[in-house]
Structures are given as structure tokens and as C-alpha cells.
mmCIF file of all heavy atoms in Angstrom:
data_model
loop_
_atom_site.group_PDB
_atom_site.id
_atom_site.type_symbol
_atom_site.label_atom_id
_atom_site.label_comp_id
_atom_site.label_asym_id
_atom_site.label_seq_id
_atom_site.Cartn_x
_atom_site.Cartn_y
_atom_site.Cartn_z
ATOM 1 N N THR R 1 28.423 20.301 4.817
ATOM 2 C CA THR R 1 27.784 21.213 3.888
ATOM 3 C C THR R 1 28.860 21.882 3.121
ATOM 4 O O THR R 1 28.830 22.000 1.851
ATOM 5 C CB THR R 1 26.964 22.225 4.838
ATOM 6 O OG1 THR R 1 26.034 21.488 5.464
ATOM 7 C CG2 THR R 1 26.238 23.165 3.761
ATOM 8 N N TYR R 2 29.862 22.491 3.796
ATOM 9 C CA TYR R 2 30.918 23.287 3.057
ATOM 10 C C TYR R 2 31.700 22.443 2.084
ATOM 11 O O TYR R 2 31.952 22.914 0.978
ATOM 12 C CB TYR R 2 31.817 24.001 4.100
ATOM 13 C CG TYR R 2 32.827 24.921 3.375
ATOM 14 C CD1 TYR R 2 32.468 26.177 2.790
ATOM 15 C CD2 TYR R 2 34.196 24.490 3.293
ATOM 16 C CE1 TYR R 2 33.457 26.922 2.097
ATOM 17 C CE2 TYR R 2 35.139 25.318 2.740
ATOM 18 C CZ TYR R 2 34.783 26.495 2.071
ATOM 19 O OH TYR R 2 35.721 27.276 1.497
ATOM 20 N N LYS R 3 32.152 21.272 2.523
ATOM 21 C CA LYS R 3 32.984 20.412 1.614
ATOM 22 C C LYS R 3 32.147 19.923 0.341
ATOM 23 O O LYS R 3 32.743 20.050 -0.776
ATOM 24 C CB LYS R 3 33.479 19.222 2.404
ATOM 25 C CG LYS R 3 34.458 19.496 3.535
ATOM 26 C CD LYS R 3 34.884 18.209 4.228
ATOM 27 C CE LYS R 3 35.620 18.509 5.470
ATOM 28 N NZ LYS R 3 36.804 19.397 5.349
ATOM 29 N N LEU R 4 30.876 19.606 0.632
ATOM 30 C CA LEU R 4 30.034 19.252 -0.531
ATOM 31 C C LEU R 4 29.784 20.476 -1.580
ATOM 32 O O LEU R 4 29.806 20.385 -2.787
ATOM 33 C CB LEU R 4 28.729 18.666 -0.153
ATOM 34 C CG LEU R 4 28.930 17.300 0.560
ATOM 35 C CD1 LEU R 4 27.423 16.944 1.125
ATOM 36 C CD2 LEU R 4 29.260 16.312 -0.356
ATOM 37 N N SER R 5 29.567 21.576 -0.902
ATOM 38 C CA SER R 5 29.457 22.768 -1.769
ATOM 39 C C SER R 5 30.654 23.160 -2.564
ATOM 40 O O SER R 5 30.596 23.479 -3.694
ATOM 41 C CB SER R 5 29.040 24.043 -0.818
ATOM 42 O OG SER R 5 27.868 23.829 -0.173
ATOM 43 N N CYS R 6 31.903 22.954 -1.950
ATOM 44 C CA CYS R 6 33.080 23.159 -2.641
ATOM 45 C C CYS R 6 33.169 22.186 -3.799
ATOM 46 O O CYS R 6 33.694 22.653 -4.905
ATOM 47 C CB CYS R 6 34.233 23.071 -1.626
ATOM 48 S SG CYS R 6 34.530 24.307 -0.498
ATOM 49 N N SER R 7 32.891 20.974 -3.624
ATOM 50 C CA SER R 7 33.087 20.008 -4.639
ATOM 51 C C SER R 7 32.156 20.340 -5.793
ATOM 52 O O SER R 7 32.697 20.255 -7.035
ATOM 53 C CB SER R 7 32.933 18.577 -4.100
ATOM 54 O OG SER R 7 31.530 18.413 -3.766
ATOM 55 N N VAL R 8 30.919 20.696 -5.588
ATOM 56 C CA VAL R 8 29.968 20.980 -6.656
ATOM 57 C C VAL R 8 30.428 22.258 -7.359
ATOM 58 O O VAL R 8 30.444 22.365 -8.577
ATOM 59 C CB VAL R 8 28.566 21.163 -6.148
ATOM 60 C CG1 VAL R 8 27.564 21.701 -7.083
ATOM 61 C CG2 VAL R 8 28.003 19.841 -5.509
ATOM 62 N N SER R 9 30.879 23.274 -6.580
ATOM 63 C CA SER R 9 31.247 24.520 -7.145
ATOM 64 C C SER R 9 32.489 24.238 -8.013
ATOM 65 O O SER R 9 32.756 25.047 -9.135
ATOM 66 C CB SER R 9 31.557 25.492 -6.103
ATOM 67 O OG SER R 9 30.353 25.830 -5.267
ATOM 68 N N ASN R 10 33.379 23.442 -7.570
ATOM 69 C CA ASN R 10 34.630 23.133 -8.381
ATOM 70 C C ASN R 10 34.320 22.490 -9.719
ATOM 71 O O ASN R 10 35.099 22.850 -10.690
ATOM 72 C CB ASN R 10 35.588 22.356 -7.564
ATOM 73 C CG ASN R 10 36.817 23.199 -7.050
ATOM 74 O OD1 ASN R 10 37.167 24.151 -7.662
ATOM 75 N ND2 ASN R 10 37.402 22.747 -6.032
ATOM 76 N N VAL R 11 33.259 21.697 -9.747
ATOM 77 C CA VAL R 11 32.964 21.132 -11.072
ATOM 78 C C VAL R 11 32.507 22.233 -11.986
ATOM 79 O O VAL R 11 32.877 22.299 -13.159
ATOM 80 C CB VAL R 11 31.797 19.998 -10.826
ATOM 81 C CG1 VAL R 11 31.304 19.557 -12.201
ATOM 82 C CG2 VAL R 11 32.464 18.885 -10.046
ATOM 83 N N ILE R 12 31.665 23.103 -11.389
ATOM 84 C CA ILE R 12 31.162 24.162 -12.264
ATOM 85 C C ILE R 12 32.392 25.015 -12.605
ATOM 86 O O ILE R 12 32.435 25.461 -13.832
ATOM 87 C CB ILE R 12 30.115 24.998 -11.487
ATOM 88 C CG1 ILE R 12 28.922 24.215 -11.149
ATOM 89 C CG2 ILE R 12 29.790 26.249 -12.226
ATOM 90 C CD1 ILE R 12 27.934 24.784 -10.238
ATOM 91 N N CYS R 13 33.246 25.322 -11.802
ATOM 92 C CA CYS R 13 34.395 26.184 -12.052
ATOM 93 C C CYS R 13 35.307 25.499 -13.158
ATOM 94 O O CYS R 13 35.752 26.174 -14.044
ATOM 95 C CB CYS R 13 35.360 26.482 -10.902
ATOM 96 S SG CYS R 13 34.588 27.711 -9.612
ATOM 97 N N SER R 14 35.397 24.214 -13.085
ATOM 98 C CA SER R 14 36.287 23.478 -14.079
ATOM 99 C C SER R 14 35.471 23.597 -15.465
ATOM 100 O O SER R 14 36.359 23.701 -16.397
ATOM 101 C CB SER R 14 36.294 22.035 -13.648
ATOM 102 O OG SER R 14 37.002 21.282 -14.606
ATOM 103 N N ILE R 15 34.285 23.563 -15.570
ATOM 104 C CA ILE R 15 33.582 23.587 -16.832
ATOM 105 C C ILE R 15 33.590 25.035 -17.285
ATOM 106 O O ILE R 15 33.910 25.284 -18.530
ATOM 107 C CB ILE R 15 32.054 23.085 -16.685
ATOM 108 C CG1 ILE R 15 32.040 21.651 -16.335
ATOM 109 C CG2 ILE R 15 31.267 23.421 -17.971
ATOM 110 C CD1 ILE R 15 30.685 21.193 -15.768
ATOM 111 N N VAL R 16 33.288 25.976 -16.472
ATOM 112 C CA VAL R 16 33.267 27.412 -16.902
ATOM 113 C C VAL R 16 34.592 28.147 -17.109
ATOM 114 O O VAL R 16 34.826 28.800 -18.087
ATOM 115 C CB VAL R 16 32.312 28.296 -15.921
ATOM 116 C CG1 VAL R 16 32.368 29.677 -16.304
ATOM 117 C CG2 VAL R 16 31.021 27.694 -15.806
ATOM 118 N N PHE R 17 35.465 27.925 -16.140
ATOM 119 C CA PHE R 17 36.781 28.646 -16.095
ATOM 120 C C PHE R 17 37.970 27.768 -16.568
ATOM 121 O O PHE R 17 39.006 28.324 -16.822
ATOM 122 C CB PHE R 17 37.007 29.151 -14.690
ATOM 123 C CG PHE R 17 36.056 30.069 -14.084
ATOM 124 C CD1 PHE R 17 35.558 29.787 -12.811
ATOM 125 C CD2 PHE R 17 35.550 31.068 -14.862
ATOM 126 C CE1 PHE R 17 34.505 30.588 -12.277
ATOM 127 C CE2 PHE R 17 34.523 31.937 -14.248
ATOM 128 C CZ PHE R 17 34.047 31.762 -12.977
ATOM 129 N N GLY R 18 37.670 26.435 -16.606
ATOM 130 C CA GLY R 18 38.780 25.493 -17.056
ATOM 131 C C GLY R 18 39.691 25.124 -15.930
ATOM 132 O O GLY R 18 40.754 24.595 -16.398
ATOM 133 N N LYS R 19 39.406 25.499 -14.749
ATOM 134 C CA LYS R 19 40.329 25.027 -13.668
ATOM 135 C C LYS R 19 39.511 24.846 -12.312
ATOM 136 O O LYS R 19 38.401 25.414 -12.182
ATOM 137 C CB LYS R 19 41.393 26.117 -13.430
ATOM 138 C CG LYS R 19 40.835 27.400 -13.069
ATOM 139 C CD LYS R 19 41.909 28.583 -12.995
ATOM 140 C CE LYS R 19 41.428 29.789 -12.771
ATOM 141 N NZ LYS R 19 42.447 30.962 -12.806
ATOM 142 N N ARG R 20 40.055 24.053 -11.510
ATOM 143 C CA ARG R 20 39.542 23.914 -10.122
ATOM 144 C C ARG R 20 40.335 24.697 -9.101
ATOM 145 O O ARG R 20 41.482 25.113 -9.384
ATOM 146 C CB ARG R 20 39.371 22.317 -9.703
ATOM 147 C CG ARG R 20 40.656 21.818 -9.520
ATOM 148 C CD ARG R 20 40.545 20.416 -8.989
ATOM 149 N NE ARG R 20 39.854 20.248 -7.624
ATOM 150 C CZ ARG R 20 40.457 20.607 -6.571
ATOM 151 N NH1 ARG R 20 41.730 20.908 -6.488
ATOM 152 N NH2 ARG R 20 39.673 20.599 -5.515
ATOM 153 N N TYR R 21 39.698 24.821 -7.915
ATOM 154 C CA TYR R 21 40.539 25.512 -6.840
ATOM 155 C C TYR R 21 40.668 24.556 -5.656
ATOM 156 O O TYR R 21 39.905 23.849 -5.370
ATOM 157 C CB TYR R 21 39.778 26.769 -6.501
ATOM 158 C CG TYR R 21 39.667 27.832 -7.626
ATOM 159 C CD1 TYR R 21 38.669 27.735 -8.470
ATOM 160 C CD2 TYR R 21 40.620 28.902 -7.611
ATOM 161 C CE1 TYR R 21 38.458 28.668 -9.506
ATOM 162 C CE2 TYR R 21 40.351 29.828 -8.703
ATOM 163 C CZ TYR R 21 39.340 29.735 -9.480
ATOM 164 O OH TYR R 21 39.246 30.726 -10.499
ATOM 165 N N ASP R 22 41.715 24.803 -4.920
ATOM 166 C CA ASP R 22 41.903 24.214 -3.727
ATOM 167 C C ASP R 22 40.880 24.740 -2.734
ATOM 168 O O ASP R 22 40.471 25.930 -2.802
ATOM 169 C CB ASP R 22 43.382 24.606 -3.074
ATOM 170 C CG ASP R 22 43.612 23.812 -1.781
ATOM 171 O OD1 ASP R 22 44.082 22.586 -1.841
ATOM 172 O OD2 ASP R 22 43.353 24.314 -0.684
ATOM 173 N N TYR R 23 40.381 23.912 -1.805
ATOM 174 C CA TYR R 23 39.243 24.224 -0.941
ATOM 175 C C TYR R 23 39.626 25.427 0.010
ATOM 176 O O TYR R 23 38.762 26.100 0.547
ATOM 177 C CB TYR R 23 38.751 23.028 -0.169
ATOM 178 C CG TYR R 23 38.141 22.035 -0.975
ATOM 179 C CD1 TYR R 23 37.553 20.805 -0.361
ATOM 180 C CD2 TYR R 23 37.916 22.087 -2.338
ATOM 181 C CE1 TYR R 23 36.988 19.823 -1.132
ATOM 182 C CE2 TYR R 23 37.277 21.153 -3.052
ATOM 183 C CZ TYR R 23 36.815 20.043 -2.531
ATOM 184 O OH TYR R 23 36.206 18.978 -3.261
ATOM 185 N N LYS R 24 40.894 25.699 0.124
ATOM 186 C CA LYS R 24 41.344 26.700 1.052
ATOM 187 C C LYS R 24 41.792 27.935 0.225
ATOM 188 O O LYS R 24 42.317 28.865 0.849
ATOM 189 C CB LYS R 24 42.437 26.283 1.981
ATOM 190 C CG LYS R 24 41.772 25.175 2.945
ATOM 191 C CD LYS R 24 42.994 24.772 3.993
ATOM 192 C CE LYS R 24 42.416 23.822 5.073
ATOM 193 N NZ LYS R 24 41.884 22.599 4.578
ATOM 194 N N ASP R 25 41.716 27.963 -1.062
ATOM 195 C CA ASP R 25 42.196 28.988 -1.883
ATOM 196 C C ASP R 25 41.390 30.282 -1.497
ATOM 197 O O ASP R 25 40.245 30.224 -1.483
ATOM 198 C CB ASP R 25 42.049 28.638 -3.423
ATOM 199 C CG ASP R 25 42.513 29.789 -4.299
ATOM 200 O OD1 ASP R 25 41.801 30.706 -4.544
ATOM 201 O OD2 ASP R 25 43.682 29.750 -4.757
ATOM 202 N N LYS R 26 42.088 31.305 -1.310
ATOM 203 C CA LYS R 26 41.455 32.657 -0.846
ATOM 204 C C LYS R 26 40.388 33.063 -1.849
ATOM 205 O O LYS R 26 39.316 33.495 -1.457
ATOM 206 C CB LYS R 26 42.455 33.592 -0.520
ATOM 207 C CG LYS R 26 43.273 33.421 0.653
ATOM 208 C CD LYS R 26 44.255 34.542 0.995
ATOM 209 C CE LYS R 26 45.035 34.351 2.230
ATOM 210 N NZ LYS R 26 45.993 35.433 2.505
ATOM 211 N N LYS R 27 40.718 33.102 -3.145
ATOM 212 C CA LYS R 27 39.763 33.454 -4.172
ATOM 213 C C LYS R 27 38.604 32.572 -4.160
ATOM 214 O O LYS R 27 37.444 33.118 -4.294
ATOM 215 C CB LYS R 27 40.386 33.458 -5.421
ATOM 216 C CG LYS R 27 41.400 34.665 -5.818
ATOM 217 C CD LYS R 27 42.060 34.578 -7.192
ATOM 218 C CE LYS R 27 40.998 34.801 -8.296
ATOM 219 N NZ LYS R 27 41.608 34.844 -9.619
ATOM 220 N N PHE R 28 38.746 31.327 -4.032
ATOM 221 C CA PHE R 28 37.759 30.341 -4.077
ATOM 222 C C PHE R 28 36.846 30.412 -2.881
ATOM 223 O O PHE R 28 35.668 30.396 -2.897
ATOM 224 C CB PHE R 28 38.233 28.942 -4.289
ATOM 225 C CG PHE R 28 37.205 27.817 -4.245
ATOM 226 C CD1 PHE R 28 36.343 27.881 -5.391
ATOM 227 C CD2 PHE R 28 37.032 26.852 -3.282
ATOM 228 C CE1 PHE R 28 35.458 26.777 -5.491
ATOM 229 C CE2 PHE R 28 36.027 25.979 -3.558
ATOM 230 C CZ PHE R 28 35.259 25.890 -4.618
ATOM 231 N N VAL R 29 37.376 30.634 -1.634
ATOM 232 C CA VAL R 29 36.627 30.860 -0.440
ATOM 233 C C VAL R 29 35.758 32.101 -0.498
ATOM 234 O O VAL R 29 34.731 32.088 -0.143
ATOM 235 C CB VAL R 29 37.607 30.924 0.775
ATOM 236 C CG1 VAL R 29 36.820 31.348 2.059
ATOM 237 C CG2 VAL R 29 38.351 29.663 0.998
ATOM 238 N N ALA R 30 36.409 33.202 -1.091
ATOM 239 C CA ALA R 30 35.646 34.421 -1.254
ATOM 240 C C ALA R 30 34.483 34.177 -2.224
ATOM 241 O O ALA R 30 33.408 34.834 -2.078
ATOM 242 C CB ALA R 30 36.644 35.558 -1.870
ATOM 243 N N LEU R 31 34.703 33.384 -3.353
ATOM 244 C CA LEU R 31 33.577 33.172 -4.256
ATOM 245 C C LEU R 31 32.539 32.379 -3.621
ATOM 246 O O LEU R 31 31.299 32.789 -3.844
ATOM 247 C CB LEU R 31 34.236 32.469 -5.418
ATOM 248 C CG LEU R 31 33.214 31.915 -6.489
ATOM 249 C CD1 LEU R 31 32.674 33.213 -7.194
ATOM 250 C CD2 LEU R 31 33.916 30.982 -7.522
ATOM 251 N N MET R 32 32.832 31.364 -2.788
ATOM 252 C CA MET R 32 31.904 30.600 -2.125
ATOM 253 C C MET R 32 31.019 31.418 -1.147
ATOM 254 O O MET R 32 29.770 31.340 -1.024
ATOM 255 C CB MET R 32 32.514 29.489 -1.339
ATOM 256 C CG MET R 32 33.209 28.401 -2.130
ATOM 257 S SD MET R 32 31.996 27.372 -3.032
ATOM 258 C CE MET R 32 31.273 26.576 -1.615
#
């Protein structure tokens, strides 16, 4: 569940923010 959620969220982040995050990145984990 978490890994799949991270991958989908990262695609959205890449489109919206122009960058992806490491799955353990503190800002990304907080966003999730």
C-alpha cells in the first residue's frame, strides 16, 4: 500500500512541483 501510494504521489509531485522525492524523504513522508 505505502510503496504504491508513494509511486503515484511522486508522479503527481513530478508534474505539479517538477521533482520527485525519495520514499524516505521527511517532507515527502509528512506530505503522504
